[in-house]
Amino acid sequence: MRSINVIDAIMGAGKTSWAVQHVSEADVTKRFIYITPFLDEIKRIKSAVTGRTFIEPNNANQERRKLRSLKELIAAGADIAATHSLFQTADDELIELLAEAGYTLILDEVMDVIEIANITRQDIEILVESGKVAIKDSRVIWISEEYVEGRFFDIKQLARAGNLFFHRGRFLVWSFPARVFNAFDAVYVMTYLFDAQLQRYYYDLHGIQYEYKTVKRAEDGGYYLAEYNREHEKRADLFALIDVYDGPLNDIGRLPNSFSATWLKAADAASIVAARNNMRNYLRNICKAPASGILWTTKKDKARSLASKGFTKSFLQCNARATNEYADRYVLAYMFNRYMHPHERAFFEDRGISVNQDLLAVSDLLQWIWRSRIRNGECVRLYLPSSRMRSLLIAWSKYEI
């Protein structure tokens, strides 16, 4: 496989429009797999592409599993549209099918290519001591043939796929099988600020080559790929559409770690109440916004603590991408201070891969803001109490990060 094409372009540049055009204009002998985060986006791609029909995997098969449907569609040479979550279940059989089929992969937004397994250190020790698993060069190897089902069945599956690692003697890390990307004739990854993404560190870790492209608008109204140059992103124009609150309601976020996952977990009741009241004051009293115009976020397990009455349906998870369901929202509150999970950071840095936490933070923030009406070129108002996140947003707008 040649180098992976990373189409790194700011939101609204036309990445999806280019993909639809590219697929629609491709020779009929070409085969495509389009992977996107949401089911709604699958519908949009299926209706937008012309000249070919994309099929979505289903569970109408003997195994009642979409993965089996995906394999059958690959074997049949169909054009396929599926979600990140399904693609993440790729196994050896799927990889073998892909290697023989000659597909092009279009990946809409980066995936969760590593995850911390849901198992305690004590349970890991039990598995080792009982002889069910062995650890070799940090890789977890499942060796028990008698174990068929039970509480560790998911661990067995991950280990059997060769994608599970024991790290620092404390936790297990699942890694998406890198050889999947080598099974395609061509790969296009469409995202923004790829340098900050876990998938980029994952590529570096596995020695996967990639090159940057961007999307340009042609004189005839179409789209084409061009040489990447971040200076052409017009960041100041986008930043000008964001009215960032600057006032005493920000005092609660003056410390560098304010509103981080650790801060939110350790915050006392008075701090949570103050944060909730500040957000409500900004959204309802200062901006006088109705619930239908509001969008807000925080760490998911703290959403109930920070939500005032009437805000439940205005919440959108802080790592949201790709959806345009909230394109009418114009008053925003981002009650989070994004840092990489310590275990994820350790996994890469212990292997000599440097990570950029600041760029990752502003990347997630921008993607979240883009879910609002700013995607239509309209102004929005933003309450961003974390002093760190505000400074990062400003630094991004000036090309300082």
Side-chain angles (χ1 to χ4, degrees):
M1 190 200 76
R2 298 177 182 175
S3 292
I4 289 173
N5 299 284
V6 175
I7 305 175
D8 195 317
I10 199 166
M11 299 79 65
K15 296 186 291 290
T16 303
S17 297
W18 168 85
V20 169
Q21 174 187 297
H22 178 70
V23 172
S24 298
E25 295 177 351
D27 189 280
V28 293
T29 60
K30 295 285 187 180
R31 298 172 179 176
F32 291 92
I33 294 181
Y34 195 104
I35 302 296
T36 188
F38 300 107
L39 290 171
D40 286 348
E41 288 300 297
I42 291 178
K43 296 176 182 177
R44 185 158 74 99
I45 292 301
K46 289 171 67 175
S47 63
V49 168
T50 59
R52 62 177 71 227
T53 300
F54 273 83
I55 301 176
E56 182 181 351
N58 58 62
N59 57 10
N61 54 71
Q62 288 186 338
E63 296 181 15
R64 307 295 297 172
R65 297 179 65 200
K66 287 188 177 181
L67 181 59
R68 173 51 55 194
S69 176
L70 175 59
K71 292 173 181 178
E72 291 173 352
L73 289 171
I74 292 171
D79 291 309
I80 305 163
T83 61
H84 283 193
S85 59
L86 176 58
F87 193 54
Q88 284 174 312
T89 62
D91 57 15
D92 288 342
E93 183 183 9
L94 181 76
I95 295 170
E96 290 177 8
L97 286 168
L98 285 171
E100 299 170 357
Y103 272 91
T104 291
L105 170 67
I106 298 180
L107 181 60
D108 185 6
E109 286 302 340
V110 292
M111 296 195 314
D112 293 329
V113 288
I114 71 163
E115 290 181 3
I116 309 304
N118 185 24
I119 183 172
T120 66
R121 180 177 179 177
Q122 185 176 14
D123 281 342
I124 296 170
E125 292 173 351
I126 289 173
L127 287 174
V128 173
E129 292 171 1
S130 65
K132 290 181 174 59
V133 304
I135 310 297
K136 185 176 182 181
D137 297 329
S138 297
R139 190 182 297 274
V140 179
I141 302 171
W142 191 276
I143 55 179
S144 174
E145 296 295 338
E146 293 79 18
Y147 191 91
V148 178
E149 59 181 357
R151 61 183 294 201
F152 300 123
F153 183 70
D154 59 335
I155 301 299
K156 174 184 176 180
Q157 287 183 306
L158 295 174
R160 281 284 173 88
N163 306 322
L164 199 60
F165 300 87
F166 189 40
H167 194 65
R168 289 192 174 183
R170 298 203 309 271
F171 56 91
L172 297 184
V173 179
W174 166 83
S175 176
F176 184 71
R179 61 189 185 280
V180 170
F181 294 101
N182 292 322
F184 290 96
D185 285 0
V187 176
Y188 296 91
V189 179
M190 304 188 301
T191 189
Y192 179 53
L193 295 178
F194 185 69
D195 272 350
Q197 309 303 329
L198 289 180
Q199 193 164 326
R200 177 238 158 159
Y201 307 137
Y202 161 91
Y203 281 170
D204 291 345
L205 176 66
H206 291 285
I208 298 174
Q209 300 298 309
Y210 52 90
E211 54 182 315
Y212 290 90
K213 306 283 186 182
T214 194
V215 172
K216 293 286 187 180
R217 193 75 181 265
E219 292 183 1
D220 63 1
Y223 296 86
Y224 65 95
L225 297 185
E227 184 178 350
Y228 172 76
N229 186 340
R230 75 173 197 157
E231 303 299 327
H232 294 166
E233 291 175 0
K234 298 181 180 180
R235 295 181 179 183
D237 291 349
L238 180 60
F239 185 67
L241 296 175
I242 308 172
D243 179 10
V244 183
Y245 171 79
D246 183 17
L249 297 181
N250 286 335
D251 291 348
I252 193 173
R254 63 185 180 277
L255 298 176
N257 73 324
S258 295
F259 289 93
S260 67
T262 302
W263 185 92
L264 287 166
K265 183 178 181 180
D268 57 25
S271 297
I272 294 297
V273 169
R276 182 173 66 236
N277 290 342
N278 282 3
M279 181 174 70
R280 182 175 182 83
N281 189 10
Y282 176 77
L283 298 175
R284 292 296 204 194
N285 299 330
I286 295 177
C287 297
K288 303 186 185 307
S292 60
I294 291 171
L295 198 64
W296 74 280
T297 196
T298 188
K299 194 170 183 289
K300 192 172 183 180
D301 60 6
K302 287 295 180 179
R304 181 171 294 183
S305 300
L306 287 176
S308 297
K309 184 178 180 180
F311 284 4
T312 305
K313 294 183 179 179
S314 300
F315 178 83
L316 176 65
Q317 64 270 26
C318 53
N319 62 346
R321 294 171 179 261
T323 181
N324 58 6
E325 184 180 346
Y326 304 91
D328 57 343
R329 308 302 173 95
Y330 59 94
V331 178
L332 319 176
Y334 193 91
M335 313 293 287
F336 190 48
N337 183 2
R338 173 74 157 100
Y339 286 94
M340 186 181 292
H341 191 290
H343 289 347
E344 294 175 343
R345 183 179 179 182
F347 180 75
F348 288 112
E349 291 188 338
D350 286 1
R351 288 162 174 77
I353 307 297
S354 298
V355 301
N356 188 334
Q357 297 224 72
D358 288 346
L359 196 60
L360 174 64
V362 79
S363 170
D364 279 6
L365 171 62
L366 288 165
Q367 289 284 357
W368 186 84
I369 293 173
W370 190 255
R371 302 311 110 207
S372 70
R373 76 177 188 183
I374 198 172
R375 66 189 301 118
N376 301 321
E378 299 179 84
C379 294
V380 297
R381 302 177 72 177
L382 173 65
Y383 178 45
L384 187 61
S386 165
S387 60
R388 171 178 175 259
M389 295 299 288
R390 285 198 310 278
S391 65
L392 291 176
L393 182 59
I394 293 169
W396 165 84
S397 72
K398 298 177 179 178
Y399 294 92
E400 293 173 356
I401 60 173

